[in-house]
Amino acid sequence: GRGLRVKPYHVSDTGRGTVTELRLRTALASDRDAIFGLLESAASWLRARGIDYWQNWLAPPAHHIRWVDDGLSAGEFRLIEGSDGVLGCVRLQDSDPLFWPDATDPAGYVHSLTIDRRFTGQGLGARVLDLIASELAVRGVSLLRLDCGESAAGLQHYYESLGFRPVGTTAVDGESLVLYERNGAERSLTSASS
């Protein structure tokens, strides 16, 4: 299918290829290895920095593998693509009873937003979240929700800097998580300034 696109933008002095085009494409079963590779690479990068987060992606247990396969089968995984190929991945769900069991209002639920380390520092995460918000708006959905570990202070700060508000906590598989949401109309500061 056709992916959503944003206008080209430029960030200089990154030392990496500058991303001038960004689109989301629904992942296919043939993209499974790329998704697992991105998640494993992110976990390795975190481990190398002494951050104990996402470490299950280094050797995913059966229920993590099933979670990815279920997301692929449901058409919920997106590959983040640019002129340099695959830049990352994200899962977008219409409901999320595992993490948000009491939520009944329409929302988009973001999981496993991962950017290839070669393309970091260019605001791609913010751009992807804005693309998702645009996709949801077309469907009449205004809320964007996600979670992150209670111990991941840096990630919490990042999401808060993009306009997400903490609205609760939950525990999944023994991990304490902070639940975040943002009205889709509230764009990130990165997008607003570009």
Side-chain angles (χ1 to χ4, degrees):
R2 296 184 56 160
L4 294 171
R5 297 176 189 268
V6 294
K7 66 182 180 179
Y9 64 102
H10 177 80
V11 176
S12 61
D13 300 321
T14 62
R16 295 164 283 251
T18 300
V19 176
T20 58
E21 183 180 314
L22 186 65
R23 66 188 166 275
L24 299 178
R25 175 179 61 81
T26 301
L28 307 172
S30 59
D31 297 314
R32 183 179 190 263
D33 289 345
I35 291 168
F36 277 108
L38 286 160
L39 296 170
E40 181 182 349
S41 177
S44 294
W45 182 85
L46 290 166
R47 174 176 275 178
R49 278 143 191 82
I51 301 169
D52 183 25
Y53 195 61
W54 273 25
Q55 297 307 291
N56 282 333
W57 291 115
L58 294 174
H63 67 281
H64 277 60
I65 293 169
R66 190 170 41 258
W67 184 82
V68 170
D69 289 340
D70 289 349
L72 281 167
S73 295
E76 296 170 342
F77 266 99
R78 307 291 195 279
L79 287 185
I80 303 159
E81 297 180 323
S83 57
D84 289 326
V86 174
L87 309 175
C89 66
V90 64
R91 184 175 181 184
L92 176 62
Q93 297 175 267
D94 291 329
S95 66
D96 189 357
L98 180 62
F99 289 76
W100 296 75
D102 300 323
T104 57
D105 45 348
Y109 298 84
V110 172
H111 286 284
S112 301
L113 174 57
T114 307
I115 302 296
D116 184 318
R117 299 303 310 163
R118 294 175 297 160
F119 302 102
T120 61
Q122 299 186 51
L124 297 182
R127 300 293 256 189
V128 167
L129 290 167
D130 287 346
L131 272 176
I132 290 169
S134 295
E135 179 181 328
L136 292 171
V138 168
R139 294 190 269 152
V141 176
S142 63
L143 283 178
L144 191 56
R145 292 181 170 147
L146 49 80
D147 64 87
C148 73
E150 265 187 346
S151 64
L155 189 54
Q156 290 175 31
H157 175 73
Y158 173 72
Y159 288 134
E160 290 169 13
S161 77
L162 298 179
F164 285 88
R165 297 173 306 283
V167 294
T169 59
T170 192
V172 176
D173 290 335
E175 182 179 11
S176 297
L177 302 162
V178 179
L179 300 173
Y180 282 93
E181 73 179 19
R182 178 179 95 184
N183 183 304
E186 298 169 13
R187 301 297 191 172
S188 68
L189 296 176
T190 302
S191 301
S193 63
S194 44

